[in-house]
Amino acid sequence: MTTIHDVRMITLPELGDERGNLAVIEGGGDIPFEIRRVFYIHGSDASVIRGRHANKRSSFVLINITGSSKVKVIDQDANEQVFVLDKAHIGLYLPPMIWKDMYDFSPDSVLLVVSDEHYDDAEYVRDFAEFMR
Ligand code: TYD
């Protein structure tokens, strides 16, 4: 069983020089899986709560490449923790079977998400009571 102790922040390599910054997201290295899917959430405002699900198989890394958001994670022992994402070179690693709520999006928030699985609605657990059973 995964717990919130398996959730961790990942510092991505930043190859900055006088021309600006370059953060690298490379599967199998700092990202602890091979990447099969990339999506990004933008245009959500401070009143919105997204996520509200766990995934049976997928792992994720979430990176607020612009702006900020918060992520509340909950495990099946009901431990919970809130992470603030506000840096383009810091990711939040989430293993499978961790409940996640994303909220408090800044107006300019672009939340980039990489995953090791293609999208499959059948592996989403969207009922919190079912998740806790
Ligand atoms: P949803 O899971 O509600 O997004 P979030 O976790 O950010 O709140 O997804 C919204 C819709 O988009 C839903 O109909 C499923 C679909 N979707 C895909 O088709 N592919 C994807 O990779 C994702 C993340 C969602």
Side-chain angles (χ1 to χ4, degrees):
M1 194 178 91
T2 54
T3 74
I4 59 166
H5 305 296
D6 300 308
V7 175
R8 64 177 193 277
M9 303 294 260
I10 293 174
T11 302
L12 302 170
E14 261 213 316
L15 312 174
D17 59 27
E18 67 284 353
R19 297 168 299 164
N21 301 311
L22 191 158
V24 179
I25 303 170
E26 187 164 337
D30 299 292
I31 305 293
F33 51 74
E34 293 298 340
I35 297 167
R36 282 215 181 84
R37 179 162 55 121
V38 178
F39 57 96
Y40 47 94
I41 294 167
H42 57 112
S44 293
D45 65 35
S47 65
V48 165
I49 303 177
R50 300 199 61 121
R52 295 183 140 156
H53 58 241
N55 293 75
K56 293 178 188 166
R57 291 196 314 275
S58 301
S59 300
F60 299 93
V61 173
L62 286 64
I63 304 149
N64 244 111
I65 53 172
T66 298
S68 62
S69 68
K70 293 188 180 121
V71 185
K72 179 158 89 175
V73 296
I74 309 175
D75 65 25
Q76 289 173 294
D77 286 330
N79 301 304
E80 56 180 74
Q81 192 171 346
V82 172
F83 293 88
V84 177
L85 299 182
D86 61 358
K87 292 183 179 63
H89 70 290
I90 303 280
L92 180 65
Y93 167 70
L94 304 175
M97 288 310 275
I98 295 291
W99 190 269
K100 48 207 165 282
D101 294 338
M102 292 89 88
Y103 62 102
D104 215 0
F105 296 91
S106 64
D108 59 344
S109 175
V110 179
L111 179 59
L112 181 75
V113 183
V114 297
S115 175
D116 58 345
E117 294 278 347
H118 292 147
Y119 181 76
D120 174 10
D121 191 60
E123 64 109 19
Y124 278 66
V125 183
R126 298 186 187 274
D127 183 313
F128 188 70
E130 181 191 329
F131 172 71
M132 293 304 289
R133 273 200 286 275

